[in-house]
Amino acid sequence: MALHIHEACILLLVIPRLVTSAAISHEDYPADEGDQTSSNDNLIFDDYRGKGCVDDSGFVYKLGERFFPGHSNCPCVCALDGPVCDQPECPKIHPKCTKVEHNGCCPECKEVKNSCEYHGKNYKILEEFKPSPCEWCRCEPSNEVHCVVADCAVPECVNPVYEPEQCCPVCKNGPNCFAGTTIIPAGIEVKVDECNICHCHNGDWWKPAQCSKRECQGKQTV
């Protein structure tokens, strides 16, 4: 009777080992979908550190290979720690540049302003123009407008006239001056009334006329 009990105990100890070995068999229990997806992700998102470098398009370059990470980047060399890129000293952009392109390692000016703007109008470099009868202007290479305003002389009359397209006033009737409220021509003596004869100052046309009294010719009574 004791012998049968001992054999039964040995059998019970062997059965769990068989069950455990079968339970962990990959053939009987394949991996679930979650485990498969994780494995596929590892294949898609490979880590290229220490193996190569990747550009903006996803192309892989070998260690030591020279490449451009993107269309507007400087050239790089693939190293163990990643791309080692050139840092050139790019030329300065012209201060009057109106169009800059970034299609290479350095920005490039494609269009420079070659005109001047003055009172809402554009003028070419070195172009001369007259915005008004008294102004003479020029568009300078610095894109700035420099103007000279005419300095008109003092007119030699008290009734100057401004003609169209002329800067300075003109004396259409020649030099003259005031004798009281009367305008008299310069260069001659003018009898302004029965008692006064006047003439203009030479060169000082804005001053009142010089007058001298004569014997008044009064009417005789009968």
Side-chain angles (χ1 to χ4, degrees), residues 10-192:
I10 294 175
L11 181 61
L12 290 176
L13 291 174
V14 173
I15 290 176
R17 292 183 181 180
L18 296 177
V19 174
T20 303
S21 177
I24 61 174
S25 173
H26 291 285
E27 296 179 356
D28 295 338
Y29 296 92
D32 57 17
E33 295 181 358
D35 293 338
Q36 291 179 353
T37 303
S38 177
S39 176
N40 292 335
D41 289 344
N42 290 334
L43 293 176
I44 295 175
F45 300 102
D46 284 341
D47 186 359
Y48 292 102
R49 288 177 296 181
K51 305 175 184 178
C53 301
V54 184
D55 63 7
D56 292 347
S57 301
F59 191 86
V60 180
Y61 294 86
K62 298 178 182 179
L63 293 177
E65 193 171 359
R66 190 175 181 85
F67 70 103
F68 288 85
H71 73 282
S72 61
N73 296 98
C74 296
C76 303
V77 175
C78 184
L80 287 173
D81 296 330
V84 178
C85 303
D86 294 340
Q87 297 295 331
E89 186 174 349
C90 297
K92 293 182 179 180
I93 299 297
H94 195 283
K96 298 295 182 179
C97 185
T98 57
K99 184 179 180 181
V100 180
E101 288 188 357
H102 299 272
N103 291 328
C105 183
C106 293
E108 185 178 359
C109 180
K110 290 296 183 180
E111 185 176 339
V112 178
K113 184 180 179 181
N114 58 353
S115 63
C116 302
E117 184 177 350
Y118 189 76
H119 292 176
K121 294 183 179 181
N122 289 324
Y123 300 92
K124 297 179 180 179
I125 299 296
L126 300 182
E127 182 179 357
E128 298 178 356
F129 57 97
K130 292 187 67 175
S132 69
C134 289
E135 286 182 289
W136 175 85
C137 303
R138 185 174 73 170
C139 176
E140 301 294 342
S142 62
N143 301 108
E144 297 179 352
V145 175
H146 288 173
C147 296
V148 176
V149 180
D151 187 11
C152 296
V154 178
E156 297 181 345
C157 60
V158 294
N159 56 349
V161 177
Y162 284 89
E163 295 286 353
E165 301 303 323
Q166 289 189 5
C167 174
C168 299
V170 295
C171 297
K172 298 189 70 174
N173 298 320
N176 56 39
C177 66
F178 276 114
T181 58
T182 303
I183 298 176
I184 62 174
I188 60 174
E189 290 185 344
V190 178
K191 187 177 181 181
V192 295

